[in-house]
Amino acid sequence: MIDEVVKLEIPARAEFVALARLVVSAMAASDVDLPDERVDDLKLAVSEACTNAIEAHDATASPERVRLSYWADDRGLGVRVEDRGPGFDPAALPDHPPVTDPARLKFERGLGIPLIRALVDEVEISSSGQGTAVRLLMRNAVASD
Amino acid sequence: MIDEVVKLEIPARAEFVALARLVVSAMAASDVDLPDERVDDLKLAVSEACTNAIEAHDATASPERVRLSYWADDRGLGVRVEDRGPGFDPAALPDHPPVTDPARLKFERGLGIPLIRALVDEVEISSSGQGTAVRLLMRNAVASD
Amino acid sequence: MDLGLDVSERGKYAVLSVRGEVDVYTAPRFREGLIELVTEGKHQIIVDLEGVDFLDSTGLGVLVGGLKRLRSHDGDLVLVCTQNRILKVFEITGLTKVFSIFDSVDAAAAAGES
Amino acid sequence: MDLGLDVSERGKYAVLSVRGEVDVYTAPRFREGLIELVTEGKHQIIVDLEGVDFLDSTGLGVLVGGLKRLRSHDGDLVLVCTQNRILKVFEITGLTKVFSIFDSVDAAAAAGES
Ligand SMILES: Nc1ncnc2c1ncn2[C@@H]1O[C@H](COP(=O)(O)OP(=O)(O)O)[C@@H](O)[C@H]1O
Ligand SMILES: Nc1ncnc2c1ncn2[C@@H]1O[C@H](COP(=O)(O)OP(=O)(O)O)[C@@H](O)[C@H]1O
């Protein structure tokens, strides 16, 4: 399955996030058995992860780029978003959004990772001082909940 | 300008050629000053070059992938298509299609590189036993003919 | 990628109709559009999201920011949205509890008159 | 990526209407659609390209192959196309000299009757 991987490398700039989403649609059109709604959910998650990756590079004014891999296999459609930003501690963020807590309404930010976790079947975030990798997997119809 | 480059790596399979074209549209939408018609011409050329790259890999049954770079700068929109196929001698092909020669109508093939040369402002083909790279540049409105 | 913004009037409301994709690239233009209305003294705003194809958390941020700004002027910002994939984002983030969301600009304007 | 093929009848012609993108991935389906018609004994074919968004040299190859096959059955293959970006590809490759290209299925069928 390794040769089923599509790789995309983009400058860490806002205008390229749309391209990262577009590749999800293209992969979904050719290779997988996901309902449109789940493809949309994955696009949203990729958009959030890419936005964070770009902002991480902004923080360091690093000219590094954001690297994405997309793969389709029996399990579903996967995307990995990798940056060389300063990293962060994902465990320090709440696992799920406290949607009932009116206090969160004070925040215009901090919605990205909760959205990713709510929308995507499998989410793995690994982060260090060298950068961050977010691995997303949307499971095929049969295997999904 | 080096960080303006977008890179795409696809399996050498027919279904991914559409993705290679899609990235041309995405680059054109965000970064350059090319009329739609010239963007369409560049998409056609990228499609031809990618098709050749994929067929070159078919010939060797090689699991290698096709690598594309896209860049936008003052001069225009550029795309490089690279394969690790067996290579060929581009000089052995006619520079321009003999459009008036009725004999060419016998051929269902051999139209790709003539189309590329007719449509794109600058075309550079380098090929060896290690593979082939096709570099295409569509010049911005001001600089174009 | 394209973002389209149109402004119109409906009763006491200014209506900002958004078309296209709202993400980190286009959100700044969306934010400017909203701020411009507030600066012009429009403190009752309907944001019509029916033409939006995509909206992520940066778009949500613009809306929450706009709402806070308007409330500080005793104004309000209400939404028009019937698309499930967009509504879903508001639901997951709990923002359906913050925004009044209507099926049409007419319904939003009528609610404001009552 | 999508390729749509519809078959209909118009006078002595079978009309194959093509929608979507014709490239190395979709060309095999296009070729099969044509060959199926020939196998069914349809030797006068109009290929309607008005719904085509993209066509590259693999698509041209399918059309040239179809034409050769039909001529060997004393048949013909004519095209309907008014889109400049598609016509351009036929012009550059000199194929406007091989194919009769019409503005509409009606015009193509009428020319065949005369
Ligand atoms: N790729 C990343 N690199 C560094 N920090 C990150 C990354 N992704 C997320 N973060 C941190 O986690 C926080 C929460 O992210 P998120 O939930 O997406 O909300 P937002 O991006 O709106 O702040 C970010 O503000 C940032 O500090
Ligand atoms: N990337 C490539 N690697 C190896 N051979 C190539 C490559 N591109 C083109 N060629 C050779 O040049 C020939 C002409 O290419 P082209 O004009 O695109 O027409 P076609 O692909 O339809 O044959 C091909 O048949 C092939 O032999």
Side-chain angles (χ1 to χ4, degrees):
Chain A
M1 280 294 165
I2 188 69
D3 63 314
E4 289 302 298
V5 174
V6 167
K7 291 187 184 172
L8 177 70
E9 208 181 291
I10 53 173
R13 295 233 323 264
E15 66 205 86
F16 292 101
V17 174
L19 183 54
R21 291 195 300 267
L22 209 57
V23 177
V24 176
S25 310
M27 294 288 294
S30 64
D31 257 337
V32 287
D33 187 29
L34 287 175
D36 286 352
E37 192 199 331
R38 314 213 77 213
V39 175
D40 283 340
D41 290 348
L42 184 59
K43 284 171 80 169
L44 182 58
V46 167
S47 201
E48 300 294 347
C50 259
T51 300
N52 285 344
I54 287 170
E55 285 171 352
H57 283 291
D58 274 356
T60 55
S62 139
E64 278 289 349
R65 283 136 42 133
V66 178
R67 288 176 176 75
L68 296 107
S69 322
Y70 303 75
W71 65 95
D73 62 21
D74 299 344
R75 297 193 62 221
L77 184 54
V79 184
R80 191 182 145 94
V81 182
E82 218 182 314
D83 67 60
R84 306 262 168 100
F88 73 115
D89 181 5
L93 304 171
D95 258 2
H96 288 286
V99 289
T100 50
D101 180 356
R104 72 173 292 105
L105 313 177
K106 289 190 202 137
F107 302 102
E108 291 165 44
R109 310 208 29 163
L111 300 174
I113 290 174
L115 267 170
I116 293 175
R117 291 200 194 276
L119 292 172
V120 176
D121 295 327
E122 295 178 21
V123 180
E124 238 177 74
I125 303 178
S126 21
S127 193
S128 76
Q130 266 68 59
T132 301
V134 178
R135 191 183 156 286
L136 309 171
L137 180 74
M138 206 60 134
R139 289 195 291 261
N140 277 332
V142 193
S144 80
D145 44 304
Chain B
M1 280 295 165
I2 188 70
D3 65 315
E4 290 301 298
V5 174
V6 168
K7 290 187 185 174
L8 178 71
E9 208 181 292
I10 54 173
R13 295 232 324 262
E15 64 206 88
F16 292 101
V17 175
L19 183 55
R21 292 195 299 268
L22 210 57
V23 176
V24 175
S25 310
M27 294 287 296
S30 63
D31 257 337
V32 287
D33 187 29
L34 286 174
D36 286 352
E37 192 199 330
R38 313 213 77 213
V39 175
D40 283 341
D41 290 349
L42 184 58
K43 284 172 82 169
L44 183 58
V46 167
S47 202
E48 299 294 346
C50 260
T51 300
N52 285 343
I54 287 170
E55 285 170 353
H57 283 291
D58 273 357
T60 55
S62 138
E64 278 289 350
R65 281 132 48 127
V66 177
R67 288 176 176 75
L68 295 106
S69 322
Y70 304 75
W71 64 96
D73 62 21
D74 300 344
R75 298 193 60 220
L77 184 54
V79 184
R80 190 182 146 93
V81 182
E82 219 182 313
D83 67 61
R84 305 262 169 101
F88 73 114
D89 181 5
L93 304 171
D95 258 2
H96 288 285
V99 289
T100 50
D101 179 355
R104 76 174 288 105
L105 314 176
K106 289 190 201 135
F107 301 102
E108 291 166 44
R109 310 209 28 165
L111 300 173
I113 290 174
L115 267 169
I116 293 175
R117 291 200 194 276
L119 291 172
V120 176
D121 295 328
E122 295 179 21
V123 179
E124 237 177 75
I125 303 178
S126 22
S127 193
S128 77
Q130 266 68 59
T132 301
V134 177
R135 191 183 156 286
L136 309 171
L137 179 75
M138 206 60 134
R139 289 195 292 261
N140 277 332
V142 193
S144 80
D145 42 304
Chain C
M1 304 297 117
D2 277 338
L3 184 81
L5 295 175
D6 288 308
V7 178
S8 58
E9 303 270 337
R10 182 69 62 96
K12 69 174 183 183
Y13 284 101
V15 182
L16 183 65
S17 303
V18 190
R19 274 172 295 106
E21 310 202 333
V22 186
D23 70 0
V24 64
Y25 182 52
T26 59
R29 261 178 290 159
F30 181 25
R31 184 179 295 110
E32 279 160 31
L34 265 180
I35 290 176
E36 212 172 287
L37 284 178
V38 181
T39 309
E40 288 169 7
K42 311 278 164 58
H43 295 163
Q44 304 288 340
I45 297 180
I46 297 172
V47 176
D48 180 355
L49 298 174
E50 289 298 81
V52 168
D53 303 312
F54 178 85
L55 180 117
D56 68 13
S57 73
T58 49
L60 297 178
V62 171
L63 289 169
V64 172
L67 180 66
K68 287 201 296 191
R69 190 178 286 255
L70 285 165
R71 290 217 173 136
S72 76
H73 288 89
D74 286 322
D76 201 8
L77 185 157
V78 302
L79 303 177
V80 174
C81 182
T82 61
Q83 298 186 76
N84 280 330
R85 58 177 170 177
I86 308 288
L87 287 172
K88 186 175 186 173
V89 181
F90 285 90
E91 272 154 26
I92 292 170
T93 53
L95 291 175
T96 41
K97 297 195 176 63
V98 200
F99 289 103
S100 304
I101 304 180
F102 296 93
D103 281 356
S104 65
V105 172
D106 284 341
E113 303 302 334
S114 62
Chain D
M1 305 295 118
D2 277 338
L3 184 81
L5 295 174
D6 288 307
V7 178
S8 58
E9 303 269 335
R10 180 69 60 97
K12 69 174 184 184
Y13 285 101
V15 182
L16 184 65
S17 302
V18 190
R19 275 172 294 105
E21 310 201 333
V22 186
D23 69 359
V24 64
Y25 181 54
T26 59
R29 261 178 289 158
F30 181 24
R31 185 180 295 113
E32 280 160 30
L34 265 180
I35 290 178
E36 212 172 286
L37 285 178
V38 181
T39 308
E40 288 169 6
K42 310 278 165 58
H43 295 162
Q44 303 288 339
I45 298 180
I46 298 172
V47 176
D48 180 355
L49 299 174
E50 289 297 81
V52 168
D53 303 312
F54 178 85
L55 181 117
D56 69 13
S57 73
T58 49
L60 296 178
V62 171
L63 290 169
V64 172
L67 181 66
K68 288 201 296 190
R69 190 180 286 256
L70 285 165
R71 290 217 172 136
S72 76
H73 287 89
D74 286 322
D76 201 7
L77 186 157
V78 303
L79 304 177
V80 173
C81 182
T82 60
Q83 298 185 75
N84 279 331
R85 58 178 169 175
I86 308 287
L87 286 171
K88 187 176 186 173
V89 180
F90 286 91
E91 272 153 26
I92 291 170
T93 53
L95 291 175
T96 41
K97 297 197 178 62
V98 201
F99 289 103
S100 303
I101 304 181
F102 296 92
D103 280 356
S104 66
V105 172
D106 283 341
E113 303 300 334
S114 63

